[in-house]
Amino acid sequence: MKSIIPILFPALLVINLTAAENRQVVQTFLNNPADPRLAAQQIKSGTRYVLLTHQIWSQLSGQEQQVYLRRASLQPIRQRAMLSPSGKFTLHWDDSGPAAVPPEDAGTNGVPDFIDSALVIFDQVWQFEIDTLGFQAPPGEDGNPVQTYHIYFSDLPYYGLTYYSGIDIAALPGENYTSYIEVENDFSGFPTDSLAGLKVTAAHEFNHAIQFGYNVRPEDFYFYEMTSTWMEDA
């Protein structure tokens, strides 16, 4: 396994704050990614906070760096999990508690309708971004295409975010990383809510997962949010 390599990002990806304010935002994110104060930044994709964390990586303490690395490697624990029809995704959700998804089950199959829809939506996103557009599937730890990609529904102040591990995959040339996605659990009160919010988030965040599986180069990061936002419409 190669060593952990902090990544520097170009200034155009930085939230438009002072250096001290950027560090405060990162500290808030590291302390609690669901902190409601993060919503005040009007960031749709929490992946921006992941990128910002690595931009100021050298300014963080060793303890703060370890907080990120632990969170990126130790995925959330949820009450239930289910494979998508294609087997490409495993969705994890709660039926109760702060991260619970909407409970409606009109299909009476024991699975919330929100999750039934999410299973189909993520499969469609894979089919379009991987099978139709020809992007590489996100890699697993062995460097081969991931067998099933993990999605976690959480109570978030933004639509979703994609964590990448920060540990380079030794079997692949260049810098490439495994990842997982967290998605807002119900989109209640969001400008784009319910299934519409889920659709754009699935398209956007899975594109970030694809990006982290390519040779990660600082000069390309300017295009990350642009490409993922375009993917919502595509």
Side-chain angles (χ1 to χ4, degrees):
M1 181 69 71
K2 295 181 184 176
S3 60
I4 296 170
I5 302 177
I7 297 174
L8 300 178
F9 295 79
L12 289 172
L13 277 179
V14 181
I15 300 169
N16 189 24
L17 300 172
T18 67
E21 289 170 332
N22 277 329
R23 195 174 194 284
Q24 181 60 53
V25 167
V26 167
Q27 288 174 327
T28 300
F29 174 69
L30 292 174
N31 183 58
N32 178 15
D35 192 309
R37 288 176 294 178
L38 296 172
Q41 302 296 333
Q42 299 298 309
I43 297 296
K44 182 175 181 180
S45 171
T47 306
R48 286 285 188 92
Y49 296 122
V50 172
L51 302 183
L52 182 57
T53 297
H54 285 274
Q55 179 178 6
I56 67 168
W57 188 264
S58 62
Q59 302 173 33
L60 302 179
S61 68
Q63 182 178 4
E64 288 170 330
Q65 292 174 355
Q66 288 304 311
V67 167
Y68 173 84
L69 293 171
R70 282 196 301 271
R71 186 171 294 135
S73 60
L74 298 176
Q75 301 175 3
I77 297 174
R78 295 290 178 257
Q79 296 164 358
R80 300 181 65 184
M82 189 171 184
L83 272 175
S84 67
S86 72
K88 300 293 189 184
F89 293 95
T90 299
L91 272 57
H92 304 257
W93 77 95
D94 283 351
D95 288 324
S96 61
V101 301
E104 290 78 15
D105 181 18
T108 64
N109 63 349
V111 177
D113 298 334
F114 186 82
I115 295 297
D116 280 332
S117 296
L119 292 166
V120 174
I121 288 168
F122 273 99
D123 271 355
Q124 290 176 338
V125 165
W126 182 292
Q127 190 279 326
F128 183 74
E129 299 192 23
I130 304 298
D131 299 335
T132 299
L133 295 185
F135 285 110
Q136 299 173 12
E141 292 182 356
D142 60 0
N144 293 316
V146 68
Q147 293 298 303
T148 181
Y149 192 91
H150 293 273
I151 309 292
Y152 299 84
F153 289 89
S154 303
D155 185 17
L156 300 173
Y158 29 76
Y159 289 80
L161 80 161
T162 306
Y163 278 107
Y164 78 90
S165 65
I167 301 176
D168 182 32
I169 299 172
L172 295 176
E175 307 301 329
N176 312 271
Y177 303 94
T178 61
S179 62
Y180 71 87
I181 290 172
E182 286 191 74
V183 176
E184 160 62 16
N185 61 312
D186 59 12
F187 298 100
S188 176
F190 281 60
T192 304
D193 60 9
S194 190
L195 294 184
L198 179 58
K199 289 176 181 178
V200 297
T201 302
H204 185 113
E205 296 302 332
F206 188 61
N207 191 242
H208 283 317
I210 290 171
Q211 292 162 350
F212 292 141
Y214 277 82
N215 184 23
V216 177
R217 304 185 307 167
E219 59 266 34
D220 295 334
F221 283 121
Y222 173 73
F223 300 102
Y224 271 32
E225 281 299 314
M226 293 171 58
T227 303
S228 294
T229 301
W230 172 82
M231 196 64 72
E232 299 173 15
D233 292 328

